[in-house]
Structures are given as C-alpha cells and as structure tokens.
Amino acid sequence: MNAVEVRNGIYWVGACDWEVRDFHGYETPRGTSYNNYLIMDDEITLVDTVKYDFADITLKNIASIVDPARIKNVVVNHIENDHMTGIGDIMKLTPNATIYITDKGKKGLERFFDISKWTIKVVKTGDTLSIGQKTLLFLETPMLHWPDSMMTYVKEDKLLFSQDAFGQHIASAARFDDEYITCQSMAELDDAVVDYYANILMPFGQLIKSKIADVQKLGIEIEIIAPDHGIIWRKDPGKVLQAYLDMANGKANCSVAIIYDTMWHSTEKMTVPLLEGIKSEGLDCKIIKLRATPMSVAIKEFWKARGCLIGTPTLNNIMFPSVANFLTHVRGLRPKNRIAGAFGSFGWGGGAVKEAYEMLKKMGLEVVEPGVEINFKPSLEDEKKCFEFGAAFARATKEYHTKFE
Ligand code: FEO
C-alpha cells in the first residue's frame, strides 16, 4: 500500500500485514496493519514507526513524499514491538532527529536500542510541540494499554493519533471508515472494533472512561481518529468513541453464550436442552465449542453476551484443559458486568463444574448456582434438568441485564 494523505499534509505511511493470523497468540483472520504517520510541516515529523519486518515498506512510503533523512522529529506513542521496532532503521537515516516519548517509554526504548547517541525529549500530558503551521499536544494514557502509552493530538487538524486505542486488526485496501463501509460493511467494522476491545482493552474500561473524560475537560475537538492498527475514523469518529464508552460502561447484548468443550459428546449433548431452555425465555443464544473456535473469537462472543454458560467434562477430577485455558484467558482480561453458570459431565468422578464455579467467582462475576453436572450421558431426566437450568439462567440474565439499561 502506498502513502495516503489523511488530512492537510498528514500522510499514512504504514504497512498492511495481509498474512498474519497469529498476533502473539491472538487470532487475526483479517490480518492487520501497522499504521504510522508523516506530518509535512517546517519540521517534518514521523508519528510512530512499524514492526521491524515492515520497516522497508514504511521507509519506501516516506521516501515517496520526502527524503527520510529530512525527518526532524519522531513521536513514539507506544513501545510495543509492533509499533516501535522499526525505529532503528529510521534513526540510521536521520540520526539527528529528536524523539518525543513518555518517561516510561524511554526506559523501555533503551532496553531495545543503544540510545546514547539519540536526542530524546520526555513529554507528559499537556506538553506541546510547534512544528511550523501545526501544533502537537501530547496526552499520556498510562495502562491504555501499556504504562508507556500516550496519544498525540494535532490541534489545527483536530486529529488524534490514538495508538492502539480505537484500532482494529484489519488489513485492507481501504484506509478510512467510509471507504471500508463501501467495500466491506459497517457490521464487519463494528465486529472488528468489539473483537479488538474484548481481547486487548477489556481490562481497562475504567481508564478508558476517565481518559475520555480528560479529553473532554481539555476541550479537545476530534474530527479524525488515526489509530496504529486498521481503519482511520474520519466519517464518524464519535461512533467509535461512543462504542468504547458503551463497552466500558458494561454494554452487552441481553443474550447467552454457551461456551464448552467435550470428550465423548456428553457435555455437548447438554448444550441443546440448555439452549432450548434459554430460548423458552425469549433470549438469543450462541453455542461455541472451544477446540473448534479460535480463542479470540470465543472471548469476543463471551464479551458480547450478558450471560455465559461454561460447559466442561471432568478429566482427572478437574476441568477439561481447553476450558481451563479459556477461563484463564478470560480471568486475565478482568471481565465485569457479566453473569455466568456452569455445566458438564463426568464418568467415574466429577469436580469440573465445581472448579469452573470457583474460577468464575474468583473473577468476581455474578453466578447462578448450582449448574448441572451429569453422569456419563444425559438421560431424559438430565435433559429436563438442563432445560430448566437454561430457563432459570435466562431469567437471571434478563434480571441482571436491567441494571445496565
Ligand atoms: Fe499494537 Fe500495544 O501494540
């Protein structure tokens, strides 16, 4: 992909990664992009770099606009490897450029590079940099999603470089939301936003709310949000801001996700009467088998539904490994405002359902007990129990959901 002008001399000069399907363990069926931006002004400024493997692409894109040796400033909003490791190649071409970075960012940067000959200025919230016609305002966003993170705002263009926030893992010929909606669909873009939030930003809901409030207090008007991954928001940046606020406030569908795994199909057979019970109370329900579903997709489905039923057979007196693995991932994401229950089957000795409940309680989720645990294969009576538990769980989900309406 060639360089693309975003607004008034500000160019996207990043790279699309069409092939990546495993982004440090996170499934990326649509690939991703590493976005960075070049600002043409009296002092030519580069905002972020890219993953090391793509450094030659961003350099080619920069060179299509200006000799990279003329870059005067490099803003590093975030030092995770996918955005920062290309900086070595940039600094070789423009060794006298000044790097603008947070204090924590600098501490991280020196673990990767010999920075002794680089000029580095540490910035904090409210600091500004005039680069000619344009003024950059720096906003620290610690723990969104790393301690070093910050965003950079271009006052004259009302444009926010938001690093990971508001991004999506999408590789596309489209650079902007309006272009993407034309060639793909809004529903797909919305789905990519939820996917990204659920898998990366779920733990930081409170911080997201307080940072958006800070931005509002500073009276910053935003017309374009340019994240470090995926599509740039220029048609309706307010939509993605609102989507983040909604998710941070616990928004979910009043529906249930049944997320399970199975050894000899007994736990699987329980999902059908459970679903029928849920449906009998008027709720939608999706069934997700863990070993048939990428982890990040299961997490997204967990996040989209207000209620979740975890299904696990007992293996060696504990939860089935794929279910334990899923719950461990979810626990790390510190979910809030969700209600859960558990069910499963066992052969000679149970225990998995009890263990699943212990894990759900450790996460601080609302739980509906005692769930259903059956021996060997579900009998007609067991199926009836599953139906009744599904219906009771749906009623509890509906009642819990009213807190968020
Ligand atoms: Fe896209 Fe936190 O890196």
Side-chain angles (χ1 to χ4, degrees):
M1 289 290 302
N2 296 329
V4 175
E5 188 168 20
V6 178
R7 175 176 276 193
N8 304 331
I10 299 173
Y11 294 84
W12 176 90
V13 288
C16 282
D17 189 343
W18 300 93
E19 293 179 8
V20 65
R21 292 294 178 271
D22 179 345
F23 189 90
H24 60 50
Y26 170 58
E27 187 88 8
T28 47
R30 303 176 182 98
T32 194
S33 71
Y34 311 107
N35 298 343
N36 63 334
Y37 303 91
L38 185 73
I39 309 176
M40 293 302 293
D41 206 332
D42 297 347
E43 295 184 9
I44 296 166
T45 299
L46 184 68
V47 179
D48 292 324
T49 66
V50 293
K51 190 175 170 186
Y52 177 73
D53 323 42
F54 295 83
D56 57 335
I57 295 176
T58 192
L59 281 170
K60 184 168 158 274
N61 281 339
I62 294 167
S64 72
I65 299 162
V66 69
D67 179 354
R70 289 183 55 205
I71 293 171
K72 186 87 171 53
N73 308 309
V74 180
V75 175
V76 179
N77 280 324
H78 179 33
I79 62 154
E80 192 161 6
N81 301 37
D82 49 335
H83 307 295
M84 175 278 293
T85 42
I87 198 169
D89 287 26
I90 301 283
M91 294 306 286
K92 268 184 210 153
L93 295 172
T94 180
N96 296 320
T98 302
I99 294 172
Y100 293 84
I101 192 168
T102 61
D103 184 45
K104 288 226 162 51
K106 183 184 172 194
K107 289 188 169 85
L109 194 66
E110 66 194 3
R111 303 290 297 165
F112 288 88
F113 297 98
D114 174 7
I115 63 169
S116 57
K117 292 195 174 65
W118 293 355
T119 306
I120 297 186
K121 287 203 174 149
V122 168
V123 292
K124 53 189 187 324
T125 294
D127 289 352
T128 57
L129 171 67
S130 172
I131 58 171
Q133 304 303 307
K134 299 182 195 292
T135 315
L136 309 186
L137 167 69
F138 302 109
L139 302 162
E140 292 167 280
T141 55
M143 293 319 296
L144 263 183
H145 68 121
W146 273 20
D148 66 289
S149 299
M150 72 168 180
M151 298 185 188
T152 300
Y153 178 69
V154 187
K155 286 186 178 177
E156 293 73 12
D157 296 293
K158 298 178 180 165
L159 183 152
L160 182 70
F161 296 114
S162 62
Q163 46 97 11
D164 279 325
F166 310 114
Q168 338 83 43
H169 283 306
I170 290 177
S172 170
R175 289 272 59 79
F176 301 97
D177 49 356
D178 47 299
E179 293 175 348
Y180 193 79
I181 294 160
T182 307
C183 57
Q184 307 285 332
S185 75
M186 193 64 216
E188 187 177 335
L189 188 52
D190 287 348
D191 185 72
V193 169
V194 176
D195 191 295
Y196 195 89
Y197 185 102
N199 281 279
I200 296 174
L201 296 167
M202 192 195 298
F204 310 117
Q206 292 310 310
L207 275 168
I208 285 166
K209 283 199 284 183
S210 73
K211 278 295 148 194
I212 290 177
D214 285 353
V215 166
Q216 284 163 342
K217 262 187 243 154
L218 286 167
I220 289 173
E221 214 182 312
I222 298 171
E223 290 185 359
I224 299 184
I225 296 177
D228 276 1
H229 293 289
I231 300 298
I232 297 164
W233 304 93
R234 72 174 176 190
K235 181 172 184 277
D236 190 3
K239 189 172 188 294
V240 73
L241 269 169
Q242 190 57 50
Y244 266 53
L245 273 175
D246 287 346
M247 287 189 278
N249 282 323
K251 186 178 175 186
N253 297 325
C254 189
S255 63
V256 176
I258 296 177
I259 299 177
Y260 78 101
D261 218 325
T262 196
M263 281 175 72
W264 293 106
H265 303 293
S266 292
T267 300
E268 186 169 73
K269 283 185 179 126
M270 297 172 77
T271 62
V272 177
L274 281 163
L275 176 138
E276 291 298 340
I278 291 161
K279 237 176 74 179
S280 74
E281 290 291 332
L283 288 198
D284 191 14
C285 177
K286 208 174 242 188
I287 296 178
I288 296 126
K289 181 181 175 182
L290 282 167
R291 277 177 300 157
T293 311
M295 178 63 71
S296 55
V297 175
I299 286 169
K300 178 183 69 181
E301 295 300 339
F302 165 86
W303 178 243
K304 280 163 71 176
R306 179 69 66 203
C308 177
L309 286 177
I310 299 292
T312 175
T314 294
L315 179 65
N316 298 326
N317 299 113
I318 58 172
M319 277 189 284
F320 197 64
S322 58
V323 180
N325 185 31
F326 172 73
L327 287 178
T328 301
H329 269 73
V330 172
R331 190 177 164 205
L333 290 166
R334 304 198 293 276
K336 288 191 173 53
N337 310 320
R338 297 296 184 276
I339 185 167
F343 65 96
S345 60
F346 65 93
W348 302 107
V353 170
K354 181 169 170 275
E355 199 189 21
Y357 270 109
E358 282 166 6
M359 191 87 157
L360 294 168
K361 286 182 199 169
K362 256 188 212 162
M363 290 184 217
L365 299 181
E366 186 90 2
V367 294
V368 180
E369 292 184 278
V372 191
E373 190 162 34
I374 63 115
N375 188 214
F376 282 118
K377 78 187 264 272
S379 62
L380 285 176
E381 196 174 323
D382 290 333
E383 285 180 4
K384 195 163 167 267
K385 273 189 211 160
C386 288
F387 180 93
E388 282 164 5
F389 180 58
F393 186 77
R395 287 193 294 276
T397 300
K398 284 193 283 187
E399 192 185 330
Y400 185 63
H401 186 73
T402 59
K403 288 186 182 185
F404 305 93
E405 286 178 316

